[in-house]
Amino acid sequence: MTGPEVSPSFRLVYVPGVMPDKWVRVWNERQPDVPLTLTQAPAQPAHGMLLDGEADAGLVRLPADRTVLSAIPLYTEQTVVVIPKDHLVTAADSVTVEDLADDIVLHPDDDVLGWETLPGRPALERPATTADAIELVAAGIGVLVVPLSLARLHHRKDLTHRPLEDAPASSVGLAWPEAATTDLVEDFIGIVRGRTVNSTRGRRPQPTQEKQKKDRSAQGDGGRRRQPSAGAAGRARRGSGGGGGTAKNPRRGKPRRRS
């Protein structure tokens, strides 16, 4: 005796700063019977959830472990420096790494930029999270370099940001376990790539509403062709009967020979 059938669902993990709303909205329109579960997790735990099978796909920071994960790059973010509003560099439209030479540049443990050499002066201790680093910047204890989305996520009225030139950048991509590329994963890939519901790529296209209406109409007629009315049939017989008469010349038979 088997247990009750479990309805399918789709589990999506995403990292802070990424906004999956537009893709979730399209999913709910196309897959109303398949609920989508969202989980937000920091960059490294998000990768771990994919590897452990706790999520079907993820909007993650790249690079991903390509030995076990498939990934599609989506976009690369602008890198900015978060500073107090009274900082000297706020007078400029953009900042260079050299402009931060005299500043303490905070480097949280969850940094996603992958610096080879940090600019500025190092802090005595690394903050545990980006949120902790933001609090230190607000307290006047250094500045913080992050992708633009994280600067917006941790926005404060007493802080601002400026584009930072010559700095590493962070890319965002869609990743999923290569060995678990299911039909639902293919559906979400299509949504992220902007494919229409009837795209020939990925899963088999669904019939359009117009085609569904025509199919229902044909089923309502019992599959039979519409028969012509009695009047139309009579006119057709009169127009085609006899020995070659036409509408313009209703006389039948051959013309008489003149004597």
Side-chain angles (χ1 to χ4, degrees):
M1 181 176 180
T2 60
E5 184 177 351
V6 179
S7 300
S9 63
F10 188 72
R11 301 164 301 169
L12 180 70
V13 62
Y14 67 102
V15 295
V18 174
M19 304 297 290
D21 298 12
K22 60 180 180 180
W23 297 313
V24 173
R25 183 173 62 254
V26 176
W27 176 274
N28 291 334
E29 292 172 354
R30 297 186 184 180
Q31 299 282 2
D33 298 328
V34 182
L36 190 153
T37 303
L38 287 171
T39 302
Q40 187 182 86
Q44 292 305 317
H47 284 251
M49 290 181 66
L50 293 173
L51 296 175
D52 294 339
E54 298 176 15
D56 299 300
L59 297 167
V60 300
R61 300 278 175 186
L62 300 179
D65 184 355
R66 299 304 294 269
T67 61
V68 289
L69 295 177
S70 296
I72 301 172
L74 299 178
Y75 57 88
T76 299
E77 289 198 65
Q78 184 181 55
T79 301
V80 301
V81 56
V82 180
I83 47 180
K85 284 192 172 180
D86 59 356
H87 196 285
L88 291 176
V89 299
T90 57
D93 293 331
S94 62
V95 182
T96 65
V97 170
E98 288 75 15
D99 293 331
L100 304 179
D102 296 328
D103 286 286
I104 294 175
V105 178
L106 301 169
H107 188 212
D109 289 335
D110 61 358
D111 176 68
V112 296
L113 292 177
W115 292 91
E116 291 185 3
T117 303
L118 282 170
R121 297 185 293 131
L124 294 178
E125 295 182 1
R126 294 185 64 177
T129 66
T130 297
D132 293 336
I134 290 288
E135 294 293 333
L136 293 175
V137 175
I141 309 175
V143 300
L144 176 65
V145 180
V146 291
L148 178 59
S149 66
L150 292 181
R152 290 173 172 169
L153 179 66
H154 297 285
H155 171 73
R156 291 176 51 124
K157 293 182 178 180
D158 53 347
L159 301 179
T160 187
H161 60 266
R162 292 289 185 273
L164 182 62
E165 301 175 3
D166 303 324
S170 176
S171 296
V172 173
L174 175 65
W176 65 95
E178 186 174 0
T181 308
T182 64
D183 284 345
L184 293 178
V185 170
E186 289 286 0
D187 286 340
F188 195 78
I189 293 171
I191 290 172
V192 170
R193 284 186 160 175
R195 298 176 193 159
T196 64
V197 67
N198 290 312
S199 171
T200 56
R201 300 189 63 183
R203 297 182 67 182
R204 184 170 54 190
Q206 301 297 320
T208 63
Q209 292 183 356
E210 187 65 26
K211 186 177 185 301
Q212 290 174 347
K213 290 179 180 179
K214 291 181 179 179
D215 291 343
R216 286 195 295 269
S217 177
Q219 292 172 1
D221 292 339
R224 298 185 299 271
R225 293 186 178 180
R226 183 177 298 175
Q227 299 297 325
S229 64
R235 289 192 296 271
R237 286 195 296 270
R238 289 194 298 270
S240 61
T246 65
K248 292 184 179 180
N249 183 14
R251 293 180 301 172
R252 297 181 180 181
K254 299 181 180 180
R256 295 180 179 178
R257 298 178 61 182
R258 300 181 67 177
S259 57

